Amino acid sequence: MRGFALLFLPLLADLATAITIPVQGFPRHPDHLSKRANVTGTPLQNSGNTIYAGNITLGGTSFNVILDTGSSDLWVAGNVPGTVNSGKSASISYAIGRASGNINYATLGFDGFTVDNQAYILVTDTSTFSSALSSNNIQGLMGLGPNAGSVVESTVGNSTGDSPLFRVFAQNKTTQNFISFQLDRKGDPTDSVTGQITISEVISGFENITSQPKLNIKDAPVIDANGQHWAVLSDGVIGPDGQSIDIESIVPHVSDGKLVAVFDTGFTLSQVPRKLSDAIYGRVQGANYSVEDGYWTLPCDQELNLTFKFGGQTYPVHPLDVSTSDLGYTDASGNTRCVGSFQPITTAFSLLGEYDIILGMSFLRNTYTLIDFGNYVDDTSNDRGDPYVQLLSLTDASSAHSDFVKVRLNGQDTTGSPSKTLLPASQESHSPESAGEKKQHIKGAVERNWPYILIGCLVFVLAVVGCCIWRCCCARRGKPVRGFVQNPYQTIQEPAPPPMHMQPLGNAGAQYADPYGPHA
């Protein structure tokens, strides 16, 4: 997505890049291990579980780029032989950094596919991005999201500006318009296989993904067509205590119990509602929320279980992914702490209420994910259905527990000790909202509900005007109007008061007689 997680080093990392892009595997079901040993292709570079990148070529020159399912454009920084300047410029803003430059055209090599005259942004200044770009030899980013979100395409104004995957699918009209991928996790003691990302090809040994529920992209309400993401409806979240976490969606017209989740390989730390993040970490003994950094920290030996639900199926998250030790966080005393991988959504908050959750690397390492572009691609003949996502769970709870004990507890299982027991729900800690975040939420509520606010204001104004007109009409007809003082003068039909006998002027000794009697 066009926004990086605050804490995730530079950009959005992702995996889809070529027809077959192997990746270091993640603890899979045992029966899958032998089936993947012979897969070959372009490897993904995993930098500390925070950036995933792969190689492409532009003009015959190799570029190591982050691959991102949350955005739709390609940009690189460097020398591209034979590139052609379009004379148009574009700029893409991320939560950290901005990619700006002229739109160019060059031949793209995408592991088994060649696309002539692929539009991309040639960036000359990457100083706004994290230093992790240069230290990990990252030279750009390729977006793998829907074409509707492409800045280049909207700037160019025609199909020559389409994103790389749309060009690939348009050229190969008889292929299925899908990508599939698995992300590896470094530091996993049971991972002995190679993962990969594919275009129009299911990874050998994981064919069962095609029988998983199809999570229709179009089931999630679209607020802004130009901001279309790989968003689907979630059936909810099961927290560390084994109970469902009650979260209300901010997306209009979403049913109770449902949340809109975006799959985005560009976020190291998944972004979730603050209430959800608090429910995950707020009952951990020794957990603290860092207002400065915007995330929870906790003891690294605390095992937490978390499960997401989609399409009636459950998808457990490995405890090594619920909190991460990869960021090298230490407290004021120099003690190593782990960071909660599901942080409160702040900079990526959707003012328009387009989504509730952004599931990044910390979730996607637990699934084999297939994204079908379907009829989002116009010029294809075989794949004309609605776009959808399918997920195949890769995490076994028992094996994941064993991994956690080996990695975080040095083989000694202390997860059942009293100090690791969750606090009662009544003692749950809550992270504070900053003033800026409160303002953002108010602004978002106004932007999401402005039609209703406008209608309410119009109704109020019309009611006031109507009331004024009614009062005026009643007054003209001589009818008393509730709330007005009665006419102090007598009407013609009322009998006259008794005659008043006034004493002649100058008769000082005479008494004045009040015809109505003495006053009280």
Side-chain angles (χ1 to χ4, degrees):
M1 137 167 317
R2 238 174 276 143
F4 312 109
L6 249 269
L7 214 276
F8 86 148
L9 290 185
L11 308 132
L12 323 82
D14 162 1
L15 357 91
T17 161
I19 254 263
T20 307
I21 301 186
V23 191
Q24 289 296 82
F26 161 84
R28 316 298 182 193
H29 295 298
D31 60 334
H32 290 160
L33 300 183
S34 61
K35 298 179 180 179
R36 302 175 57 207
N38 297 322
V39 175
T40 59
T42 304
L44 284 179
Q45 172 189 321
N46 178 354
S47 300
N49 294 328
T50 58
I51 298 176
Y52 293 86
N55 286 322
I56 65 168
T57 61
L58 274 176
T61 297
S62 179
F63 289 88
N64 193 37
V65 298
I66 289 172
L67 297 153
D68 172 38
T69 58
S71 62
S72 306
D73 292 299
L74 169 63
W75 65 264
V76 298
N79 180 41
V80 180
T83 189
V84 177
N85 192 331
S86 71
K88 297 181 178 180
S89 61
S91 181
I92 305 174
S93 295
Y94 302 89
I96 299 178
R98 175 183 292 270
S100 301
N102 289 333
I103 297 175
N104 279 242
Y105 295 96
T107 299
L108 170 68
F110 201 41
D111 200 50
F113 293 99
T114 299
V115 178
D116 293 330
N117 299 315
Q118 174 61 51
Y120 70 99
I121 300 175
L122 184 58
V123 175
T124 56
D125 181 10
T126 60
S127 61
T128 59
F129 293 108
S130 164
S131 60
L133 276 180
S134 56
S135 62
N136 287 283
N137 192 33
I138 303 298
Q139 300 158 303
L141 178 145
M142 178 178 284
L144 306 171
N147 206 45
S150 171
V151 173
V152 171
E153 191 275 338
S154 63
T155 302
V156 172
N158 56 56
S159 60
T160 63
D162 284 350
S163 60
L165 278 181
F166 275 67
R167 295 289 307 282
V168 168
F169 293 137
Q171 282 187 182
N172 299 270
K173 300 181 185 298
T174 60
T175 62
Q176 294 295 304
N177 304 335
F178 74 83
I179 60 173
S180 73
F181 58 84
Q182 295 172 334
L183 292 179
D184 71 299
R185 186 187 333 101
K186 284 189 174 181
D188 182 348
T190 62
D191 182 27
S192 61
V193 297
T194 301
Q196 59 185 298
I197 179 171
T198 70
I199 295 177
S200 305
E201 181 181 7
V202 173
I203 295 175
S204 177
F206 293 87
E207 290 82 4
N208 190 38
I209 192 171
T210 59
S211 63
Q212 300 307 302
K214 291 183 178 180
L215 310 175
N216 197 316
I217 301 296
K218 294 184 178 180
D219 285 347
V222 177
I223 309 300
D224 178 11
N226 293 325
Q228 178 68 58
H229 308 290
W230 298 127
V232 302
L233 291 177
S234 166
D235 300 327
V237 185
I238 300 174
D241 62 355
Q243 302 299 312
S244 294
I245 301 174
D246 184 20
I247 302 293
E248 184 177 351
S249 176
I250 67 169
V251 182
H253 313 302
V254 170
S255 303
D256 291 343
K258 301 286 187 180
L259 297 170
V260 175
V262 172
F263 299 112
D264 191 337
T265 57
F267 279 86
T268 298
L269 305 181
S270 296
Q271 307 287 288
V272 301
R274 184 172 293 278
K275 183 179 178 181
L276 176 54
S277 185
D278 290 352
I280 298 171
Y281 306 108
R283 293 170 60 188
V284 173
Q285 299 182 54
N288 294 300
Y289 182 77
S290 172
V291 175
E292 180 180 359
D293 297 314
Y295 50 72
W296 284 92
T297 67
L298 62 154
C300 288
D301 58 356
Q302 176 71 54
E303 181 181 23
L304 293 173
N305 295 307
L306 185 66
T307 300
F308 286 82
K309 297 187 290 184
F310 292 97
Q313 308 250 3
T314 58
Y315 297 88
V317 178
H318 198 293
L320 291 175
D321 286 325
V322 180
S323 66
T324 177
S325 60
D326 296 317
L327 301 177
Y329 184 91
T330 56
D331 61 19
S333 301
N335 299 314
T336 299
R337 303 270 290 178
C338 279
V339 171
S341 302
F342 293 81
Q343 69 175 147
I345 189 167
T346 52
T347 58
F349 178 75
S350 173
L351 291 176
L352 294 178
E354 299 169 270
Y355 50 81
D356 300 295
I357 297 174
I358 303 173
L359 293 177
M361 304 172 199
S362 56
F363 172 81
L364 293 170
R365 279 191 286 268
N366 297 274
T367 61
Y368 173 34
T369 305
L370 185 151
I371 300 176
D372 192 296
F373 289 57
N375 56 23
Y376 276 174
V377 182
D378 295 326
D379 300 325
T380 58
S381 54
N382 281 358
D383 197 348
R384 300 303 305 158
D386 288 341
Y388 60 85
V389 174
Q390 289 176 299
L391 301 172
L392 179 64
S393 179
L394 301 176
T395 298
D396 175 74
S398 178
S399 298
H401 170 72
S402 298
D403 292 342
F404 186 87
V405 172
K406 291 177 183 177
V407 174
R408 299 277 181 88
L409 305 178
N410 296 317
Q412 299 296 318
D413 191 350
T414 60
T415 57
S417 64
S419 64
K420 303 308 171 192
T421 303
L422 294 177
L423 296 171
S426 60
Q427 298 181 30
E428 177 185 313
S429 297
H430 298 279
S431 57
E433 281 188 320
S434 66
E437 191 176 352
K438 290 179 181 178
K439 183 178 179 181
Q440 187 182 43
H441 285 170
I442 293 173
K443 182 179 178 182
V446 171
E447 291 195 16
R448 291 193 300 275
N449 298 294
W450 71 264
Y452 307 104
I453 295 173
L454 179 60
I455 292 172
C457 291
L458 289 175
V459 169
F460 176 76
V461 170
L462 291 174
V464 171
V465 172
C467 183
C468 292
I469 294 174
W470 175 72
R471 290 180 182 275
C472 290
C473 291
C474 288
R476 283 190 161 190
R477 292 196 211 98
K479 295 181 180 179
V481 180
R482 183 178 297 174
F484 283 89
V485 178
Q486 288 281 3
N487 188 346
Y489 299 101
Q490 292 177 320
T491 60
I492 297 175
Q493 292 79 9
E494 291 182 0
M500 298 174 63
H501 302 283
M502 307 299 292
Q503 297 294 335
L505 290 175
N507 188 357
Q511 295 294 320
Y512 171 74
D514 186 344
Y516 297 102
H519 292 284

